Amino acid sequence: MKAAIFFSALLFAAGLSLSGSASAQQSRPELVSGCAPCHGADGVSRSGAVPNLAGQNEPYLLNQLRAFHTGKRAHKEMRYMSRNMTEQEMEAIAAYFSSLPPR
Ligand code: HEC
């Protein structure tokens, strides 16, 4: 039993270190911990002013992240959150949130 827990912890760590690469699409990218205070750990927002991300269309999420990243979609917090993201990170984040169950 202990070995199984240890093994799944290892798998989890391996998943984290792969995050950001296209091969780890549905695993949880490290960056999403920074989204939780506003968008919820499960991608379901607790505030009416913040959109839900869980279950949202993947291409839409990716387009919004790119738009915040470049400043094309103006929003102070989201511009700040996305300013240093790479294309790969944005793809992994969009894949992750779109794979979560919607509210
Ligand atoms: C400080 C709070 C805050 C944090 C932290 C934050 N967001 Fe946001 N996010 C918002 C708000 C508010 C909006 C709505 C923007 C608007 O009104 O145009 C938004 C919008 C978005 C949208 C567009 C959704 C839509 O339906 O158009 C995406 C995608 C998104 N955030 C992703 C993220 C990701 C990924 C992270 C973590 C890396 C993150 N956000 C962190 C507050 C936050």
Side-chain angles (χ1 to χ4, degrees):
M1 199 55 200
K2 267 193 178 141
I5 291 168
F6 177 66
F7 187 63
S8 50
L10 266 186
L11 280 180
F12 182 68
L16 278 184
S17 65
L18 277 175
S19 67
S21 76
S23 63
Q25 288 218 315
Q26 254 67 291
S27 73
R28 188 174 180 278
E30 249 175 286
L31 277 174
V32 303
S33 53
C35 322
C38 296
H39 292 281
D42 51 0
V44 176
S45 152
R46 269 63 181 168
S47 153
V50 182
N52 299 330
L53 303 179
Q56 182 53 275
N57 298 329
E58 184 176 342
Y60 174 79
L61 286 178
L62 181 55
N63 281 335
Q64 299 317 304
L65 287 174
R66 284 178 179 146
F68 288 129
H69 178 76
T70 59
K72 201 170 130 196
R73 177 170 172 182
H75 191 265
K76 209 166 123 225
E77 281 90 2
M78 285 312 306
R79 165 86 173 135
Y80 180 81
M81 291 308 295
S82 60
R83 73 200 184 290
N84 290 325
M85 285 179 189
T86 65
E87 176 67 17
Q88 285 72 23
E89 284 167 339
M90 292 191 276
E91 282 171 13
I93 289 169
Y96 174 73
F97 279 116
S98 69
S99 75
L100 297 182
R103 181 177 57 176

